[in-house]
C-alpha cells in the first residue's frame, strides 16, 4: 500500500496479516469478496466447485491484512480470514 | 395475585364460563380481537389474566390474534383466542400453521348467522364444516361443541387438556345463544380440576428431535428459551423440524399429524346419550340445538314416540362408529342443527341408507323450536 | 478469531458456524443475493451482543428472507406470510425474558404484514425487526412490491411500476418505533453495529437493509449484482439523525443511510406491568 503521507509511528505499529480460508462447497461465485477486498488479494480461479460455480482463489497471499471484509460481505459463509504470522502466511 | 379458579356457585353467561374454564385449565395468554358475540370472553380475560400471572393483548385483527397465540404457546404458555364467523375465517391460515407445527392452543368460535357479516347478534351453527375443513390441505382436528354455560366451563378445560396431550389446536364451537345465556355454573374446588400440560422432552438436547413421536404418537414439546434450538416451520418438515420438500417427508408428516388423532379416537370422542336405550328415532344434535332436542324427546315420549338423543360433545373427529352401531337398531335419524345440513351430511354418510336420516335445520338466527322436530318425527316416521 | 491460529493444522470452521445449522448449507439464496450477508451480519451482531444465546429467538415470515429462521441455530420460527410480527409478539409476551428478532423481507413485513408492523411499533413491543428490502417479491419470481421504485420493471409491471413505494423508515417512525435505521448490505460494519444496538435496545427497533436481488429484480432492471453494489457505494450517504420524511429511495439522486431515530419510551410490557396488573 502506498501512502502520500506516512504516519510517524509507521515503523512501530504492528500490522496484522491474515490467511484466507475458502469453503469451496458453500461458494456460489458471486465475486463480492474479490471485488471488495481492499488489498485485491483474491482473484477468480479457473476451479469449479461441485455445483459448478467459479471459486475465488488467493492471488496475493502476503497482502491479506485480515480485515475480514471478505468474511462479512460473503452471503454464503464461504470465506473467512484468520490472523496469522506474516512469515508463515507467505508460504 | 387473585385466584385463578373461582370455586363456588356462579350465575355466568356462556362466554364468561368459557373464560373461567380457560383460567382453571391454566391458560395464561389470550390474544384477542373484539367481535360479537365472542367479545365477552376477551373482556373477561382482559380483566382476569393480569391478576393471575397471565397476559392479555388486544391485537390488530384476528390473524394477529391467532398468530400471537401460536407464538405464546411456543413460549411455553397455554394460550387461547375467541372469535366468531368473520374472525374465524381470518384465522384459518394460521390454524393450519398450528396444526402443521403441532402447537397446542384453544380457539373458541361463538357462532353467529352467516355468510359474511350476517347476523352478528343472533346464533347459528353454520361454521361446523369450516371447523373441520376451513384451513387448506388435509388434516385432522379436534372440535368440541358445548351446550350450556356449565358445560362450556368444563369443555374449555377439556379442550386445553386435549390440545396439550395431542399438540394440536382444539376448537370450541359454541354459539351466540349459549355464549350469551346466563345459567348456574358450579366451579369445583381447584384440587378437583384435572389439567394436563404438554410433555417436556427428556435426554440430550443436541440429539432432540422436535417431531419424533412418543408412545401415543405425539412428540414432547420444549419451549423457546430452553436450549433446544428448535426450528419450527409451516413447510413440510422432517422429524427434526427441518423443511424437506419430498413426497416421502410429506407422507411421513401427514401420517404423523393425522395418525395421532385417528389412533386415539377413544380418548378424544365424547358423546352423550339421552333416552337412547329403547329409542327408535334418534335425534343427533350438538350445542344449543341439543337443548331443543331434550325438550323434543320429552314431548315425543309423552305422546308415545320412542325418541332419544345422541349428543355430540366432540363433533370432530366424528363419532362414526357409534352412529353406525346405532343405525343397526333404530328406525331413523333426525339431525337437528342451526344450519342447512352440515353434520346432517355426516350422519347420512355413516347411516349409509340403512334407515332414513333427515334434517331439521334452520338458516340461523333463532333456536329451533321442539315443535319443528316433533312435526318432522311425525311426518317421516 | 480465537487464539493463535496455526496454519499447519486443518482448516478451521467459519467463525459463525456455531450459530448456523451447517447441515442445511448451502442455503437457498441465489448467487449474488444479499440476504446471506445481512443474515451473517445479524449473527455477528447476536454474538457481539453477548446475550444468553438460549434466550434469543428468531422469527421469520414467508419469502426469501423468511428462510433465514431455517438457518440459524437458535430457537427459530418460520411462520405464515406477513405474520412474523404478531407471532413474535406472542412469543415475547409468553416469555418476556426472550430476545426476539424478526428477520423478514419487505413484502412480508410491509405489504401483507403491514398492519402488524405499524401496530407493533405503536405499542412499542420490545422486539427487533430487520427488514431485508430487495425491492420486489423474489421468491415468487420478481413481482412488484410495496417497495418497488416508481417505473421499475417487474413481472407484474412489465411497462414499469405505476405506483410509488413506501418510505419504510418514515412509516416505522410515524408508527412509533423507538429505533429506526437504514443500511445496505454493503455497509456491513455499520449494519452489524446497528443490529447489535437494536437488539440491546429496549423497545421496538426497526432496521431496513437494502439488498440486491440480481436474479429477479436486477435482471429486469438492467442491474447486475455488482452494479447494485456500486450504486450502494456511490449513491448512498450516511446522515445519522436525518428527518425520516426525506428518506425516499431514489438511486438517480442519493439514498440516505444511517440511524434516524433512537428514543426512549415505555415498552408494551412495562406499561402492562404498571397499569394492568394494578389490583383494584
Amino acid at each position: 500500500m502506498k501512502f502520500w503521507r506516512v504516519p510517524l509511528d509507521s515503523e512501530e505499529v504492528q500490522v496484522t496479516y491474515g490467511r484466507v480460508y475458502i469453503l469451496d462447497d458453500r461458494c456460489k461465485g458471486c465475486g463480492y469478496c474479490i471485488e471488495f477486498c481492499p488489498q485485491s488479494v483474491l482473484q477468480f480461479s479457473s476451479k469449479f466447485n461441485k455445483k459448478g460455480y467459479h471459486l475465488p482463489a488467493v492471488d496475493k497471499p502476503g497482502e491479506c491484512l485480515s480485515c475480514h471484509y471478505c468474511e462479512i460481505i460473503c452471503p454464503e459463509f464461504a470465506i473467512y480470514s484468520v490472523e496469522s504470522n506474516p512469515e508463515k502466511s507467505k508460504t | 395475585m387473585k385466584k385463578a379458579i373461582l370455586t363456588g356457585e356462579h350465575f355466568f353467561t356462556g362466554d364468561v364460563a368459557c373464560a373461567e374454564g380457560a383460567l382453571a385449565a391454566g391458560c395464561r395468554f389470550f390474544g384477542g380481537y373484539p367481535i360479537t358475540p365472542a367479545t365477552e370472553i376477551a373482556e373477561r380475560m382482559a380483566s382476569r389474566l393480569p391478576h393471575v400471572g397471565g397476559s392479555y393483548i388486544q391485537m390488530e385483527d384476528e390473524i394477529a390474534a391467532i398468530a400471537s397465540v401460536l407464538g405464546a404457546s411456543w413460549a411455553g404458555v397455554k394460550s387461547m383466542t375467541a372469535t366468531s364467523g368473520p374472525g374465524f375465517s381470518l384465522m384459518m391460515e394460521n390454524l393450519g400453521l398450528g396444526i402443521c407445527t403441532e402447537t397446542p392452543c384453544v380457539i373458541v368460535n361463538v357462532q353467529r348467522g352467516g355468510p359474511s357479516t350476517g347476523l352478528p347478534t343472533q346464533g347459528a351453527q353454520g361454521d361446523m364444516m369450516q371447523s373441520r375443513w376451513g384451513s387448506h390441505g388435509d388434516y385432522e382436528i379436534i372440535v368440541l361443541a358445548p351446550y350450556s354455560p356449565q358445560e362450556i366451563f368444563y369443555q374449555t378445560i377439556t379442550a386445553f387438556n386435549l390440545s396439550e396431550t395431542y399438540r394440536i389446536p382444539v376448537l370450541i364451537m359454541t354459539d351466540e345463544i349459549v355464549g350469551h345465556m346466563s345459567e348456574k355454573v358450579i366451579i369445583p374446588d381447584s384440587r378437583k380440576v384435572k389439567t394436563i400440560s404438554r410433555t417436556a422432552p427428556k435426554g440430550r438436547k443436541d440429539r432432540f428431535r422436535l417431531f419424533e413421536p412418543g408412545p401415543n404418537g405425539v412428540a414432547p414439546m420444549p419451549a423457546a428459551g430452553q436450549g433446544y434450538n428448535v426450528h419450527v416451520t409451516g413447510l413440510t418438515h422432517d422429524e427434526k423440524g427441518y423443511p424437506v420438500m419430498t413426497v416421502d417427508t410429506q407422507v411421513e408428516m401427514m401420517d404423523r399429524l393425522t395418525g395421532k388423532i385417528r389412533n386415539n379416537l377413544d380418548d378424544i370422542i365424547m358423546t352423550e346419550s339421552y333416552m337412547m336405550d329403547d329409542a327408535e328415532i334418534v335425534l343427533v344434535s350438538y350445542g344449543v340445538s341439543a337443548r331443543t332436542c331434550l325438550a323434543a324427546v320429552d314431548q315425543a315420549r309423552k305422546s308415545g314416540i320412542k325418541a332419544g338423543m345422541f349428543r355430540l360433545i366432540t363433533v370432530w373427529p366424528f363419532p362414526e362408529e357409534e352412529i353406525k352401531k346405532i343405525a343397526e337398531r333404530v328406525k331413523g335419524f333426525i339431525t337437528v342443527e342451526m344450519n342447512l345440513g352440515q353434520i346432517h351430511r355426516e350422519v347420512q354418510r355413516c347411516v349409509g341408507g340403512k334407515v332414513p336420516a333427515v334434517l331439521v335445520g334452520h338458516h340461523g338466527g333463532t333456536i329451533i323450536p321442539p315443535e319443528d322436530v316433533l312435526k318432522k318425527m311425525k311426518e317421516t316416521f | 478469531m480465537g487464539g493463535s491460529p496455526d496454519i499447519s493444522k486443518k482448516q478451521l470452521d467459519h467463525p459463525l458456524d456455531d450459530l448456523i445449522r451447517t447441515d442445511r448449507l448451502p442455503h437457498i439464496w441465489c448467487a449474488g443475493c444479499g440476504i446471506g450477508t445481512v443474515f451473517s451480519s445479524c449473527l455477528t451482531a447476536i454474538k457481539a451482543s453477548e446475550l444468553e444465546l438460549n434466550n434469543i429467538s428468531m422469527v421469520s415470515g414467508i419469502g426469501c428472507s423468511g428462510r433465514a429462521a431455517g438457518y440459524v441455530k437458535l430457537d427459530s420460527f418460520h411462520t405464515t406470510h406477513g405474520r412474523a410480527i404478531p407471532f413474535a409478539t406472542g412469543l415475547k409476551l409468553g416469555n418476556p425474558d426472550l430476545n426476539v428478532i424478526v428477520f423478514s423481507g419487505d413484502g412480508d413485513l410491509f405489504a401483507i404484514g403491514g398492519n402488524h408492523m405499524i401496530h407493533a411499533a405503536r405499542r412499542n413491543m420490545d422486539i427487533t425487526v430487520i427488514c431485508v428490502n430487495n425491492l420486489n417479491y423474489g421468491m415468487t419470481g420478481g413481482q412488484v412490491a410495496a417497495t418497488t421504485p416508481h417505473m421499475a420493471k417487474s413481472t407484474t409491471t412489465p411497462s414499469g411500476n405505476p405506483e410509488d413505494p413506501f418510505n419504510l423508515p418514515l412509516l416505522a417512525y410515524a408508527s412509533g418505533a423507538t429505533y429506526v435505521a437504514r443500511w445496505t448490505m454493503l455497509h456491513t460494519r455499520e449494519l452489524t453495529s446497528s443490529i447489535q444496538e437494536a437488539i440491546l435496545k429496549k423497545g421496538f427497533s426497526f432496521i431496513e437493509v437494502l439488498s440486491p436481488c440480481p436474479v429477479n429484480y436486477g435482471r429486469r432492471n438492467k442491474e447486475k449484482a455488482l452494479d447494485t453494489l456500486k450504486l450502494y457505494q456511490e449513491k448512498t450517504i450516511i446522515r445519522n439523525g436525518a428527518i425520516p420524511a426525506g428518506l425516499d429511495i431514489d438511486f438517480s439522486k442519493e439514498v440516505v443511510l444511517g440511524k434516524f431515530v433512537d428514543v426512549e419510551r415505555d415498552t408494551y410490557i412495562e406499561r402492562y406491568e404498571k397499569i394492568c396488573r394494578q389490583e383494584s
Side-chain angles (χ1 to χ4, degrees), chain A residues 28 32 67 69 73 75 80 83, chain C residues 5 12 27 29 32 37 186 189:
Chain A
K28 290 182 187 148
Y32 289 174
C67 75
Y69 197 76
I73 193 75
Y80 60 96
E83 277 178 36
Chain C
L12 302 158
H27 53 59
W29 298 314
T37 305
L186 191 69
R189 293 196 198 279

Side-chain angles (χ1 to χ4, degrees), chain A residues 19 21-23 26 28 30 32 35-36 67-69 71-77 79-83 88, chain C residues 1 5 7 11-15 17 20 22 25 27 29 31-33 36-37 39 186 188-189 225 229-230:
Chain A
R19 186 181 162 94
Y21 290 92
I22 297 160
L23 300 163
R26 291 184 185 178
K28 290 182 187 148
C30 67
Y32 289 174
E35 182 68 26
F36 291 99
C67 75
H68 301 291
Y69 197 76
E71 180 183 314
I72 62 177
I73 193 75
C74 174
E76 310 293 332
F77 305 96
I79 190 168
Y80 60 96
S81 66
V82 175
E83 277 178 36
K88 280 189 186 175
Chain C
M1 311 279 101
I7 50 161
Q11 183 162 309
L12 302 158
D13 291 336
H14 188 280
D17 272 5
I20 309 169
T22 47
L25 290 184
H27 53 59
W29 298 314
C33 168
T37 305
F39 183 54
L186 191 69
T188 322
R189 293 196 198 279
L229 266 60
K230 291 261 159 64

Side-chain angles (χ1 to χ4, degrees), chain B residues 54 56 94 225 229-230 232-233, chain C residues 21 75-76 78 80 116 272 277:
Chain B
Y56 170 90
N94 281 274
N229 291 337
V230 299
V232 177
T233 176
Chain C
R21 297 183 195 270
D75 289 323
S76 51
H78 180 222
T80 44
H116 310 310
Y272 193 80
R277 293 208 202 277

Side-chain angles (χ1 to χ4, degrees), chain B residues 280-299:
Chain B
E280 292 174 345
I281 298 167
V282 179
L283 306 181
V284 179
S285 197
Y286 54 90
V288 69
S289 298
R291 299 172 75 107
T292 295
C293 295
L294 284 177
V297 168
D298 288 350
Q299 286 173 28

Side-chain angles (χ1 to χ4, degrees), chain B residues 251-374:
Chain B
V251 169
E252 191 190 295
M253 183 186 79
M254 293 293 291
D255 285 351
R256 191 174 66 242
L257 294 181
T258 54
K260 66 182 178 184
I261 304 304
R262 289 180 184 173
N263 300 327
N264 290 294
L265 294 180
D266 289 345
D267 183 45
I268 298 168
I269 293 179
M270 295 169 289
T271 60
E272 186 188 61
S273 298
Y274 180 68
M275 308 287 270
M276 280 292 290
D277 290 347
D278 62 342
E280 292 174 345
I281 298 167
V282 179
L283 306 181
V284 179
S285 197
Y286 54 90
V288 69
S289 298
R291 299 172 75 107
T292 295
C293 295
L294 284 177
V297 168
D298 288 350
Q299 286 173 28
R301 290 271 172 177
K302 268 181 207 156
S303 57
I305 303 170
K306 284 186 176 172
M309 173 176 69
F310 185 68
R311 182 165 75 91
L312 315 174
I313 298 173
T314 309
V315 177
W316 306 112
F318 193 70
E320 207 164 311
E321 295 308 316
E322 288 85 339
I323 299 273
K324 279 181 186 162
K325 251 182 245 162
I326 297 168
E328 302 289 335
R329 60 180 168 91
V330 301
K331 287 186 180 158
F333 289 84
I334 302 176
T335 306
V336 183
E337 54 182 345
M338 284 168 65
N339 58 49
L340 299 182
Q342 297 193 10
I343 297 304
H344 168 58
R345 295 165 68 107
E346 278 297 288
V347 174
Q348 274 188 321
R349 181 177 66 81
C350 297
V351 171
K354 284 199 188 81
V355 289
V358 296
L359 167 76
V360 174
H362 190 282
H363 303 77
T366 182
I367 194 163
I368 300 168
E371 293 71 30
D372 288 11
V373 183
L374 283 167

Side-chain angles (χ1 to χ4, degrees), chain C residues 8-194:
Chain C
S8 61
K9 280 189 186 159
K10 76 173 171 63
Q11 183 162 309
L12 302 158
D13 291 336
H14 188 280
L16 290 173
D17 272 5
D18 54 338
L19 276 180
I20 309 169
R21 297 183 195 270
T22 47
D23 49 344
R24 300 207 58 226
L25 290 184
H27 53 59
I28 61 155
W29 298 314
C30 307
C33 168
I35 299 170
T37 305
V38 184
F39 183 54
S40 161
S41 174
C42 180
L43 298 185
T44 307
I46 286 174
K47 269 198 168 176
S49 72
E50 293 180 344
L51 290 167
E52 168 61 36
L53 291 177
N54 282 348
N55 279 344
I56 301 178
S57 284
M58 187 180 279
V59 185
S60 290
I62 296 295
C64 295
S65 303
R67 290 302 189 92
Y71 299 113
V72 64
K73 205 153 79 187
L74 295 171
D75 289 323
S76 51
F77 303 90
H78 180 222
T79 64
T80 44
H81 198 17
R83 318 305 168 196
I85 289 178
F87 188 100
T89 298
L91 199 61
K92 179 75 184 173
L93 292 180
N95 181 359
D97 291 338
L98 297 176
N99 290 286
V100 184
I101 301 166
V102 172
F103 190 105
S104 216
D106 50 302
D108 188 74
L109 291 167
F110 282 92
I112 188 165
N115 196 25
H116 310 310
M117 168 75 206
I118 59 175
H119 285 278
R122 173 183 61 79
R123 44 173 90 94
N124 202 19
M125 193 51 66
D126 186 9
I127 58 176
T128 301
V129 176
I130 298 164
C131 174
V132 182
N133 182 1
N134 63 5
L135 310 178
N136 79 133
Y137 285 90
M139 179 70 85
T140 43
Q143 293 75 34
V144 70
T147 45
T148 308
H150 176 53
M151 288 317 287
K153 294 217 167 115
S154 75
T155 60
T156 47
T157 52
S159 329
N161 180 18
E163 302 174 19
D164 284 323
F166 270 140
N167 169 347
L168 302 185
L170 174 62
L171 193 54
Y173 163 71
S175 308
T178 51
Y179 183 100
V180 181
R182 175 198 278 157
W183 301 102
T184 80
M185 52 71 76
L186 191 69
H187 295 75
T188 322
R189 293 196 198 279
E190 292 89 339
L191 172 64
T192 305
S193 47
S194 183

